Amino acid sequence: MLPRSAPPPGLEQAITGNLDAAFNLARWLLRDPSAAEDVVQESALRALRYAEGWRGGDGRAWLLQIVRNTAYDWLSRRRARGEVALEAPAGDVAGPLDDLPDPAPDPEAVLAETQAREGLDAAVAALPVELRECLVLREVEEMSYRDIARTTGVPVGTVMSRLWRARRALAGACVEGTTP
Amino acid sequence: MSEPCEDRILLLQADHDGELDAGRAAELATHVATCLGCAAARRDLAAVSTRLRRELPYHRAPDRLRAAITAQMAPVAAPPPPRRALLRRQIPAFVAGMAAAASVALVVLPRRGSDVAEQVLGSHLRSLQAAHLFDVASSDRHTVKPWFDGRLDFAPPVRDLAAQGFPLEGGRLDHIEGRAVAALVYRRARHVINLFLWPSHSLRPSEPAASTISGYHLLRWREGDMVFWAVSDVNLAELEEFVRLWRAAT
Ligand SMILES: [Zn+2]
């Protein structure tokens, strides 16, 4: 099953050096930690097997592209078996961009803050997967538009509009989350 | 709240993300200084990003996953040693143990939830054993392709790779997952390659993914609106070559 020849130089480092990023993306896309482990392991295999796409460098966008495609395959298999509900379509997500209060620093606000955080977490998890992946790659992984486009296989302009829709939807969720 | 200017929304965001060149950033700053809507949108972007970066969990890879992947790469990285004794000396026992554990996972992983793979292999084996390899035996794709007309609810692409060493031998109607599918039969020396294809419910393309069941290799990929499964007892490199050529052909 494995390639017979040694992989090109730097490729293994690109995989092992970006495992956290790979797992984080899989976890956010699938919302299921054990499925994310399976997907990352399968992705590492695919990365070794289809090494011709490897162009050197830090390899993060290259590996995440493989993780993303493997995760989508997993989602469509689950969907085909009727095990998960269909993702909401990535239509326009309406939401007002209202002013956000700063999180209060005093200890009494800790509980409220926790609830707010769970709210934010849940709001991100509830985004359509196409919007969620752009948001996570930008805000958590801090990737450039170009790398996000490469990872998700869409033009930079699409990345920008998905990112905007995701942020606009979350601006609404942030306000709900911080209002008692 | 006043709305940002519609045509500046993505510029505001690009500026926020550090993706705007200095000239356009300066232009935008001049505009934002006098536009309440754009100024508010810029503050909102900053507030959302601040919260996300501070509060969203970063899910780090669990140690066991890291160990499994490191182990599965170990045997690949080492060039094949001339003798087994040498191999034992070079690889510490615990690494060998991890590699063994990982290779079990490798066998199990692609098979999980992939009963399609087993059906594809089953159809391949039946086609060989029952001597029912073809419904239409022809090396001419202009004969094979029209044969499927009216027998399937889709028109399978038929390509001949005789010049590249994988001659087309014919076609067959088969059944996978309860639906009628096209099976194209190719030959490589004395080996048979069955290529199964049918319309996919997903339009997302996927690169060939390999699995191995009982010594038979399977490569699955998605392209256009079709899903493809190539299966054979040729070695994996030859099957991969077949798939590469097939995808490149027209
Ligand atoms: Zn404006």
Side-chain angles (χ1 to χ4, degrees), chain B residues 99-220:
Chain B
S103 70
V104 171
L106 298 189
V107 174
V108 172
L109 247 179
R111 295 182 67 170
R112 186 184 307 165
S114 184
D115 44 357
V116 178
E118 311 219 318
Q119 289 184 42
V120 166
L121 177 59
S123 290
H124 173 72
L125 295 175
R126 273 194 303 280
S127 77
L128 302 176
Q129 289 161 359
H132 176 224
L133 206 44
F134 319 110
D135 288 318
V136 51
S138 170
S139 59
D140 183 356
R141 63 197 179 103
H142 301 294
T143 304
V144 175
K145 187 173 170 55
W147 181 86
F148 285 110
D149 287 349
R151 293 181 166 92
L152 290 170
D153 56 1
F154 62 98
V158 180
R159 299 166 186 175
D160 184 26
L161 300 175
Q164 295 97 324
F166 297 93
L168 173 69
E169 296 228 319
R172 185 178 76 249
L173 207 59
D174 217 316
H175 287 83
I176 306 280
E177 284 200 303
R179 69 153 300 145
V181 306
L184 302 177
V185 183
Y186 293 84
R187 194 167 287 278
R188 174 66 157 186
R190 289 166 55 216
H191 304 276
V192 168
I193 298 173
N194 264 297
L195 177 62
F196 296 89
L197 52 147
W198 62 91
S200 166
H201 47 79
S202 163
L203 291 178
R204 286 181 200 291
S206 68
E207 286 301 298
S211 48
T212 299
I213 304 175
S214 312
Y216 291 85
H217 299 296
L218 298 96
L219 282 173
R220 174 208 57 178

Side-chain angles (χ1 to χ4, degrees), chain A residues 74-87 129:
Chain A
W74 187 92
L75 285 171
S76 73
R77 279 203 302 271
R78 287 289 295 264
R79 220 168 275 159
R81 284 185 277 151
E83 290 173 26
V84 284
L86 281 167
E87 291 280 345
V129 67

